[in-house]
Amino acid sequence: MATLLHIDSSLFPASASASRAAAETFRKAWQEQHPEGTVIHRDLAAHPVPHITADAHTAGFADPASHTPGQAAAFAERLRLIEEFEQADALLIGAPMYNFTIPSTLKAWLDNVILMGRTAGDSQSAKGTPVTVIASRGGSYAPGTPREGFEYVQTYLRAVLADGLGLDLEFIVPELTMAPHNPAMAELVPLFESSRERAHEDAAARAKELARRLAA
């Protein structure tokens, strides 16, 4: 049966997090299609992975036989994350926008799994694996909006996940999530509600579509 690797990076619980809530909708639909399958859930807010160190980085480009004890220990942790990533049949990533970009915990996870010559570069060991990113954001950074130029979540993750790792990438974008909390955005609440509803619909549909694809 298929394995889903689910990465959450929001600081908040699902009741207060648009990315976690939509990811839960995806995961529920996925599990309904794969009751015998496996879901590996990494909550990077609760259990952050180590930021990459000099030992972990240099070990990726050195013969394992030449590793120092520090390199061997650091790379063992990194390798565990890489193998988990490679063995997944599909990925689900919650990536809320914090200060115009992704959470540092998600960047740390990416720094660990991106390894030139294996997961990235000419080889791309997980190439073609479907990845769904729930890219929530407090405002709107869509094309044509005043803040379009400040959108560094989709731009960055497209470069890393699709171009760098060769994954089959799709974004789901619940936006205007600050509208219910910011009086200055009150008139945007209906647009927020519509965006939230569409995100949950898209999450369920994407999960079911991937389930059918992987079962074929």
Side-chain angles (χ1 to χ4, degrees):
M1 296 296 292
T3 296
L4 174 68
L5 177 57
H6 175 190
I7 306 292
D8 270 322
S9 61
S10 172
L11 294 173
F12 303 101
S15 59
S17 168
S19 66
R20 284 185 187 269
E24 282 192 0
T25 294
F26 180 108
R27 181 171 167 173
K28 180 179 178 181
W30 172 277
Q31 290 177 309
E32 288 173 352
Q33 301 295 316
H34 290 289
E36 304 292 327
T38 300
V39 175
I40 299 172
H41 183 210
R42 282 199 170 273
D43 186 337
L44 299 179
H47 304 287
V49 302
H51 284 277
I52 197 164
T53 63
D55 277 343
H57 175 71
T58 56
F61 301 96
D63 182 342
S66 71
H67 284 177
T68 66
Q71 285 178 315
F75 193 66
E77 288 297 305
R78 191 177 174 194
L79 189 60
R80 180 167 58 92
L81 297 172
I82 289 172
E83 291 175 345
E84 187 177 77
F85 163 72
E86 291 174 328
Q87 292 165 10
D89 296 292
L91 285 85
L92 170 64
I93 299 176
M97 178 185 280
Y98 291 165
N99 300 316
F100 305 120
T101 189
I102 63 172
S104 64
T105 52
L106 180 54
K107 179 64 163 59
W109 179 81
L110 287 167
D111 285 342
N112 275 280
V113 300
I114 296 169
L115 179 58
M116 295 300 295
R118 179 163 175 169
T119 61
D122 293 334
S123 57
Q124 295 181 323
S125 56
K127 184 175 183 178
T129 301
V131 54
T132 305
V133 176
I134 313 294
S136 59
R137 51 206 192 186
S140 180
Y141 299 78
T145 62
R147 291 204 163 193
E148 176 184 358
F150 293 91
E151 199 295 300
Y152 300 111
V153 172
Q154 289 176 266
T155 302
Y156 170 71
L157 290 178
R158 187 176 291 109
V160 172
L161 298 175
D163 299 336
L165 298 176
L167 305 182
D168 176 11
L169 171 63
E170 181 166 318
F171 286 105
I172 295 173
V173 186
E175 61 179 11
L176 300 168
T177 62
M178 285 302 297
H181 312 288
N182 185 348
M185 298 175 68
E187 64 181 17
L188 299 175
V189 168
L191 291 177
F192 153 71
E193 292 172 341
S194 175
S195 176
R196 178 182 58 187
E197 181 178 353
R198 184 168 59 252
H200 283 264
E201 290 173 351
D202 290 348
R206 171 72 166 170
K208 292 174 182 177
E209 185 271 326
L210 285 177
R212 288 192 295 270
R213 185 197 308 181
L214 293 171

